[in-house]
Amino acid sequence: MRIESEQTVYLKDYAPTPYRIVSVELDFKILEESTRVRAQLTIEPRKKTAPGTPLVLNGDELKLDSVALDGAPLKQSAYASDPNSLTLVEPPHRRFVLETEVTLKPEANTKLMGLYRSGGTWCTQCEPEGFRRITYYLDRPDILAPFKVRMSAPKAVAPVLLANGNLVDQGELGDGTHFAVWEDPFLKPAYLFALVAGDLGSIKDSFTTMSGREVELGIYCAHGKEAECTYAMDSLKRSMAWDERRFGREYDLDVFNIVAVSDFNFGAMENKGLNIFNDRLVFAKPETATDANYHGIERVIAHEYFHNWTGNRITCRDWFQLCLKEGLTVFRDQEFTSDERSRPVQRIHDVQNLRTSQFPEDGGPLAHPPRPDSFREINNFYTTTVYEKGAEIVRMLATLLGEAGFRKAMDLYFERHDGDATTIEAFIKVFEDSSGRDLSQFVTWYLQAGTPQIGVSDNYDAASQTYTLTLTQKVDPTPGEPTKKPLLIPVRFGLIGPNGSPMGWNGVSGGTVEGDLILLEGDSATLTFTGVANKPVPSLFRGFSAPVKVSTNLGQAELLFLARHDSDPFNRWDALQTASIALIANAAQGKAWSDAEVDALRAALVDTLDNPDLDDAFKAQALSIPAETVVSRNIGRDVDPDAVSEARKALIAALVSPVSDKLAAAYAALGTNAPYSPDAGQAGRRSLRNGLLSLLVAGSAQGAALAAQQFHDATNMTDRYAAMAISAHHWTADAPALLGEFRTRFAGDPLVFDKWLTASAQAPDHEVIERMRAILAAPDFPKTNPNRLRSLLGSFVMSNPTQFARVDGAGFRFITEAVVEIDKVNPQVASRILTGFRILPILETSRREAGLEALRALKEQHSLSRNVGEILDRILAG
Ligand code: B3K
Ligand code: ZN
């Protein structure tokens, strides 16, 4: 096998560049067949740079047409160039202007990094290292400069010309082409550069900032899609207002534009003043978008907007610091959604996501610290650990400091670091300085991989009215980290008395307790509470106060007691999940449940459904039975996915059958004729109704027919898609017909096609792989579009555990074969799909061996990108 350059980059090698870029002027001449880029970089040596130090600029697949220094062409001996670099052997020891010209072929750029074309529109993606595919540059985030961009293009194909900052000039050039000049006064790293040229429709709006400045807002999209951008615009305005209210952050340019494109490697990109979005996170109308799509649009619009302060105004010194901007910005978008919708429901949603994607990453061969210290391919580190665990770490800071303390620290962060490219250490220092706390142990959360496992034991002594609670922590070794340090773990808690109300105490010793927080600092702590009148049930990690796994000491009765009485909604939900997981996991390992256990769980679920004080969205989450992948993770080793799937199905059937009429009645009662609105109330109602449908399909004879009926009667995509996906997931007799009808009904809508691909890939029957092969082989399947590939293959690896991990290895081989093909076109998409193999270590031997065999064949037989090579090696080594 040949793997593209295997060089590893280390954080410890960080050093500033010997030269800095003072300012940037770019001139893009866009023509149908190619784009010529002329760059004028004003450069100067740093104070400490010795005369004669070479200047090395990054490139990637570039071809230099010309190079000049201060207006005069450079002699051949003065520089060296190849597609990956341009070196000035001995630049002047003073400020100078370097001028280069390159010619790009955006049409042929299938990696979708740098300048490429999507649906005829020229657009860019530069984070993390795409700018070097546009021009030779010091392409790293600690190089900050003001940019002025001139662009010209044929007006007929590109009437819209956009770049970062403010429009300062535009006009006609007389030959059918026109030009625009954009200037961004804010210093920025090259990864935030963006340019768009195309024939696009738009919607416009405006926002008045808290200091009274008027900002013009625009969302650009394919013609005909304008009406589908209104929810995104509404989300943007709410995000702008929220960031002023919650963080005192005001927008800083006169315009803020968003462009929706259909070929995009991930969700969206926060380029200064010109966000570029995957169109699936912009377009929404009730007939084609689900409630989950609306929720996703709101979240990602907010996320990218919030980056303007956490990411753009304050950026990362190097890519090891990625979670400085990503973890913090995810925390901010989670808070936004919590304020806009329901806080407990959002918290449950975020924790579910953490448990289904981050915990598996952190407990497997791809585990890495939120602030890694080495990488081969930085694109492989845009992970759920950097994003979601990064957000959990910020959330713990907020928990430790309290709301006012956190806001004070964030104010100091903005004040102290505005305009900087900075580090995690500097971020933590701000929190220390602002609160007076010593956070030297806390910082380990950023530096160490792995999910802490918490052990709990307790004892109540009635005679002395004393309650003792012992908490332990342990992190298993992860790749490259054989030993672990104890973390500072904030445990939000309460004690609940026998009648369900909070239980007080009059003294506590043996550990650090601040209000309702226990701070677990060492490997273990034993807290002794005195004056406890009755034996309490402990409610620990309320609101999921730390990203840990808890091995609870509570039996089913106590869990179901918490599910009914805990004042913390998150822990009510979690108690039900824990109780279900225990039954399924035991059964999958041969330990059958008792009727009494199932009866008790059912009673708790029915009580939840009947409780008038709980909202529908919460009930939907409380009634959802944990996914197979979550149960498998809990089992942790020697997992047989078929056994887990069977046990889960059997549990649902046992829970549902005695109450199926009641559930069906509740399902019917939740139906409504109200016109669709994506608001949280209506969406919650639909999610409860569809949750009941899922239980009925899995566990009753009438379910399949109800799903088919709902599919046909649905007046919105949420209900129609749920009916189809549930049918496909249980592979009901109607499922093939429903999939067929869905495909025909929405033929021609690519984003709805993605839904069909996802539902198709999740069917657990034995023919699913053959059907997917046929889908991929169809001549009109868009093989270069990331959304289509991820919808089919990403859904299969991540959420079809029985077929992906088939004992005959067919699922694994199907994916490795697809990865080889995709890697030739788009390495980022290929390596992301390959990460699904991180499941191997927890599987039973024959499946694990089949998976490893597929990976070894991939390694031996093919020429692979650095992206795929790195993931492959890490999984094989783990
Ligand atoms: N910052 C971008 C992600 C870039 C991913 C590059 N592989 C979007 C975001 O996190 O907001
Ligand atoms: Zn982000």
Side-chain angles (χ1 to χ4, degrees), residues 863-877:
S863 184
L864 300 168
S865 66
R866 187 165 64 217
N867 308 55
V868 166
E870 179 182 28
I871 296 293
L872 181 56
D873 285 349
R874 282 162 62 201
I875 295 177
L876 284 173

Side-chain angles (χ1 to χ4, degrees), residues 113 125 127-128 191 265-270 300 303-304 307 322 325-326 329 378-379 382 387 828 832:
M113 292 298 288
Q125 171 56 36
E127 185 179 0
Y191 82 83
N265 274 345
F266 32 88
M269 179 63 212
E270 69 264 26
V300 180
H303 179 98
E304 305 311 332
H307 268 314
L322 185 57
K325 75 178 177 79
E326 295 304 347
T329 305
I378 184 56
N379 278 298
Y382 286 76
Y387 278 65
Q828 280 191 56
R832 189 52 69 113

Side-chain angles (χ1 to χ4, degrees), residues 42 60 140 280 349 529 561 578 608 619 674 684 762 773 815-816 829 835:
T42 303
D60 181 7
R140 37 189 279 173
R280 76 183 167 83
H349 182 270
F529 297 84
F561 174 84
T578 308
T608 305
K619 289 182 185 179
Q762 289 173 346
R773 278 191 201 283
I815 291 301
T816 51
V829 172
T835 61

